[in-house]
Amino acid sequence: VSKSVKPGQVQVELYKAGSDTATDVKILDQGKPATVGGLEITFAREHQFTGLIVARDPGVPLVWGGSTLLVLGVCLVFFFPNRRAWALIRRRDDGTTGVRVGAIIRHDVAYETDFRQFIDALKLALGDRAARHPMRGQEE
Protein backbone atom coordinates (compact mmCIF):
# COMPACT_ATOMS: atom_id res chain seq x y z
CA VAL A 1 0.00 0.00 0.00
CA SER A 2 1.38 3.34 -1.03
CA LYS A 3 1.71 6.11 1.59
CA SER A 4 0.51 8.61 -1.00
CA VAL A 5 -3.05 7.22 -0.92
CA LYS A 6 -5.23 9.69 1.01
CA PRO A 7 -8.69 9.18 2.54
CA GLY A 8 -11.30 9.03 -0.23
CA GLN A 9 -8.80 7.48 -2.68
CA VAL A 10 -7.89 3.97 -3.73
CA GLN A 11 -4.79 2.56 -5.45
CA VAL A 12 -5.51 0.19 -8.35
CA GLU A 13 -2.80 -2.19 -9.56
CA LEU A 14 -3.13 -4.41 -12.65
CA TYR A 15 -1.12 -7.62 -13.05
CA LYS A 16 -0.82 -10.11 -15.89
CA ALA A 17 -1.64 -13.69 -14.92
CA GLY A 18 1.39 -15.40 -13.37
CA SER A 19 3.36 -12.15 -13.00
CA ASP A 20 4.50 -10.52 -9.74
CA THR A 21 5.03 -7.06 -11.22
CA ALA A 22 2.21 -4.58 -11.82
CA THR A 23 1.64 -3.53 -15.45
CA ASP A 24 -0.21 -0.35 -14.42
CA VAL A 25 -0.70 1.48 -11.10
CA LYS A 26 -3.01 4.43 -10.59
CA ILE A 27 -4.55 6.27 -7.62
CA LEU A 28 -8.26 6.96 -8.14
CA ASP A 29 -10.34 9.66 -6.45
CA GLN A 30 -13.82 8.78 -5.28
CA GLY A 31 -16.49 9.36 -7.92
CA LYS A 32 -14.05 10.29 -10.76
CA PRO A 33 -13.60 7.77 -13.60
CA ALA A 34 -10.04 6.96 -14.73
CA THR A 35 -8.44 4.70 -17.32
CA VAL A 36 -6.11 2.01 -15.92
CA GLY A 37 -4.49 -0.42 -18.38
CA GLY A 38 -7.10 0.32 -21.06
CA LEU A 39 -10.01 -0.18 -18.63
CA GLU A 40 -12.24 2.62 -17.39
CA ILE A 41 -12.67 2.28 -13.63
CA THR A 42 -14.73 4.43 -11.26
CA PHE A 43 -14.12 4.31 -7.53
CA ALA A 44 -17.69 4.66 -6.25
CA ARG A 45 -17.15 4.54 -2.47
CA GLU A 46 -15.24 2.85 0.34
CA HIS A 47 -16.54 -0.32 1.97
CA GLN A 48 -15.27 -2.20 4.99
CA PHE A 49 -13.64 -5.46 4.04
CA THR A 50 -11.46 -8.22 5.35
CA GLY A 51 -8.36 -9.23 3.44
CA LEU A 52 -7.44 -12.90 3.70
CA ILE A 53 -4.29 -14.59 2.53
CA VAL A 54 -4.48 -18.30 1.80
CA ALA A 55 -1.15 -20.00 2.26
CA ARG A 56 0.26 -23.44 2.94
CA ASP A 57 1.59 -23.60 6.50
CA PRO A 58 4.04 -26.42 7.26
CA GLY A 59 3.32 -26.09 11.01
CA VAL A 60 -0.32 -27.24 10.70
CA PRO A 61 0.41 -30.87 11.75
CA LEU A 62 2.04 -29.57 14.95
CA VAL A 63 -1.01 -27.44 15.75
CA TRP A 64 -3.36 -30.38 15.15
CA GLY A 65 -1.16 -32.67 17.22
CA GLY A 66 -1.04 -30.18 20.07
CA SER A 67 -4.79 -29.61 20.05
CA THR A 68 -5.40 -33.38 20.03
CA LEU A 69 -3.11 -33.83 23.05
CA LEU A 70 -4.90 -30.96 24.81
CA VAL A 71 -8.33 -32.55 24.28
CA LEU A 72 -7.05 -35.97 25.40
CA GLY A 73 -5.55 -34.40 28.53
CA VAL A 74 -8.84 -32.73 29.42
CA CYS A 75 -10.68 -36.03 28.90
CA LEU A 76 -8.20 -37.82 31.18
CA VAL A 77 -8.70 -35.23 33.92
CA PHE A 78 -12.48 -35.60 33.86
CA PHE A 79 -12.75 -39.36 33.32
CA PHE A 80 -9.94 -40.37 35.71
CA PRO A 81 -10.16 -38.03 38.70
CA ASN A 82 -7.37 -37.72 41.23
CA ARG A 83 -8.04 -40.11 44.11
CA ARG A 84 -6.23 -40.17 47.44
CA ALA A 85 -6.32 -42.30 50.54
CA TRP A 86 -4.47 -41.64 53.79
CA ALA A 87 -3.37 -44.11 56.42
CA LEU A 88 -2.26 -43.41 59.99
CA ILE A 89 -0.47 -46.28 61.68
CA ARG A 90 0.42 -45.86 65.38
CA ARG A 91 1.72 -48.12 68.06
CA ARG A 92 -0.53 -48.00 71.09
CA ASP A 93 0.59 -48.03 74.74
CA ASP A 94 -0.61 -51.62 75.15
CA GLY A 95 1.75 -52.81 72.36
CA THR A 96 -0.88 -53.13 69.66
CA THR A 97 -0.90 -51.14 66.44
CA GLY A 98 -3.75 -48.87 65.41
CA VAL A 99 -4.58 -48.31 61.75
CA ARG A 100 -6.82 -45.51 60.56
CA VAL A 101 -7.62 -45.06 56.90
CA GLY A 102 -9.43 -42.12 55.34
CA ALA A 103 -10.29 -40.66 51.98
CA ILE A 104 -12.16 -37.73 50.52
CA ILE A 105 -15.05 -39.14 48.54
CA ARG A 106 -16.97 -36.37 46.81
CA HIS A 107 -19.26 -37.04 43.87
CA ASP A 108 -17.35 -40.21 42.99
CA VAL A 109 -19.51 -43.28 43.50
CA ALA A 110 -17.01 -45.58 41.79
CA TYR A 111 -14.22 -44.55 44.19
CA GLU A 112 -16.47 -45.11 47.19
CA THR A 113 -16.94 -48.71 46.05
CA ASP A 114 -13.18 -49.13 45.44
CA PHE A 115 -12.37 -47.60 48.83
CA ARG A 116 -14.78 -49.93 50.65
CA GLN A 117 -13.18 -52.92 48.85
CA PHE A 118 -9.77 -51.67 49.99
CA ILE A 119 -11.02 -51.45 53.61
CA ASP A 120 -12.44 -54.98 53.39
CA ALA A 121 -9.13 -56.29 52.00
CA LEU A 122 -7.25 -54.48 54.80
CA LYS A 123 -9.53 -56.04 57.42
CA LEU A 124 -8.98 -59.46 55.87
CA ALA A 125 -5.21 -58.95 55.88
CA LEU A 126 -5.24 -57.88 59.55
CA GLY A 127 -7.38 -60.87 60.49
CA ASP A 128 -8.61 -61.09 64.11
CA ARG A 129 -6.81 -57.90 65.08
CA ALA A 130 -9.20 -55.80 62.94
CA ALA A 131 -12.21 -57.35 64.66
CA ARG A 132 -10.89 -56.53 68.16
CA HIS A 133 -10.11 -52.92 67.25
CA PRO A 134 -12.67 -51.57 64.78
CA MET A 135 -11.59 -48.68 62.62
CA ARG A 136 -12.99 -45.21 63.07
CA GLY A 137 -16.25 -44.72 61.22
CA GLN A 138 -16.95 -48.45 61.16
CA GLU A 139 -19.64 -50.09 63.27
CA GLU A 140 -18.39 -52.01 66.26
Side-chain angles (χ1 to χ4, degrees):
V1 176
S2 173
K3 293 181 183 180
S4 62
V5 178
K6 297 177 179 65
Q9 294 181 325
V10 68
Q11 179 173 326
V12 177
E13 299 177 0
L14 293 180
Y15 295 85
K16 286 194 180 203
S19 174
D20 289 338
T21 57
T23 57
D24 198 2
V25 177
K26 194 163 232 174
I27 296 175
L28 304 178
D29 292 318
Q30 188 171 350
K32 297 181 183 174
T35 304
V36 182
L39 300 170
E40 187 171 313
I41 300 175
T42 302
F43 172 45
R45 61 176 285 197
E46 298 172 331
H47 289 283
Q48 290 184 349
F49 67 94
T50 300
L52 299 174
I53 298 174
V54 179
R56 186 178 190 294
D57 187 358
V60 169
L62 291 175
V63 172
W64 279 108
S67 61
T68 301
L69 289 175
L70 181 69
V71 169
L72 287 174
V74 169
C75 289
L76 288 174
V77 166
F78 286 114
F79 292 124
F80 300 102
N82 187 13
R83 296 173 170 175
R84 291 184 187 174
W86 291 271
L88 175 63
I89 303 170
R90 277 199 185 147
R91 184 168 303 276
R92 296 185 181 129
D93 294 337
D94 64 355
T96 62
T97 302
V99 177
R100 290 185 182 183
V101 179
I104 297 175
I105 304 171
R106 282 188 244 157
H107 310 294
D108 193 353
V109 178
Y111 183 54
E112 185 175 355
T113 304
D114 292 343
F115 185 71
R116 296 219 182 271
Q117 288 175 352
F118 170 70
I119 296 298
D120 292 342
L122 186 60
K123 283 181 181 180
L124 186 64
L126 292 175
D128 291 338
R129 293 174 286 183
R132 285 183 299 175
H133 301 285
M135 288 182 265
R136 183 184 214 187
Q138 300 291 320
E139 294 180 13
E140 294 188 30

